[in-house]
Amino acid sequence: MKMVDVGGKEKTERVAVATARLRMLPATIERILQGKVEKGDVLAAARLAGVMAAKRTPDVIPLCHPIALSGVEVEPTPVEDGLEFRVTVRTVDRTGVEMEALTAACAAALTVYDMCKSVDRGMVLERVQLDHKAGGRSGTWDRGEGA
């Protein structure tokens, strides 16, 4: 087992977008949106957790390269059956940021689970997926075009 050598690659702009969905009871999403969760501002905590997770991805994913991130955006959006988290991660480096985006989406959703588990232990984290990546030798990929 070894970490892939990316030393010979050129630094290029790279971006990845990942999403995750946290399915929950309607009453749970209502409490979140009304700011009535005992632990505090759930959506702010989820955004922060996503950013922190993107930055620490090499600490939890074996053989993942530590790279300098130039931007991380975490957007939680209410959907019919819960919340969807859309994460965009950017860098100018020798390897992509797909793992950082996926890790951030999971961490954001898991933070909501942690903050709301006392009222809804049945929440389900699902549909964790890469939706877009651009940059590097393999170019651009979009879900639906190559999935």
Side-chain angles (χ1 to χ4, degrees), residues 58-128:
D59 293 340
V60 295
I61 305 295
L63 308 177
C64 188
H65 290 277
I67 56 178
L69 303 181
S70 55
V72 179
E73 298 170 33
V74 180
E75 303 168 30
T77 304
V79 293
E80 182 180 333
D81 58 349
L83 287 170
E84 182 172 273
F85 301 87
R86 177 183 164 91
V87 177
T88 304
V89 181
R90 299 177 188 283
T91 190
V92 177
D93 215 319
R94 293 180 167 96
T95 189
V97 286
E98 295 92 342
M99 294 311 301
E100 287 77 4
L102 289 161
T103 301
C106 289
L110 289 170
T111 297
V112 173
Y113 186 97
D114 179 54
M115 293 182 75
C116 298
K117 68 183 181 263
S118 65
V119 295
D120 187 358
R121 289 202 188 272
M123 290 178 280
V124 177
L125 174 56
E126 58 190 8
R127 293 184 50 195
V128 178

Side-chain angles (χ1 to χ4, degrees), residues 26-75:
T28 307
I29 187 66
E30 188 175 318
R31 284 180 82 151
I32 292 168
L33 296 176
Q34 292 178 354
K36 294 184 178 179
V37 175
E38 184 180 311
K39 289 188 173 184
D41 188 337
V42 174
L43 299 181
R47 286 185 189 96
L48 182 58
V51 171
M52 291 173 65
K55 293 172 69 168
R56 301 300 298 259
T57 297
D59 293 340
V60 295
I61 305 295
L63 308 177
C64 188
H65 290 277
I67 56 178
L69 303 181
S70 55
V72 179
E73 298 170 33
V74 180
E75 303 168 30

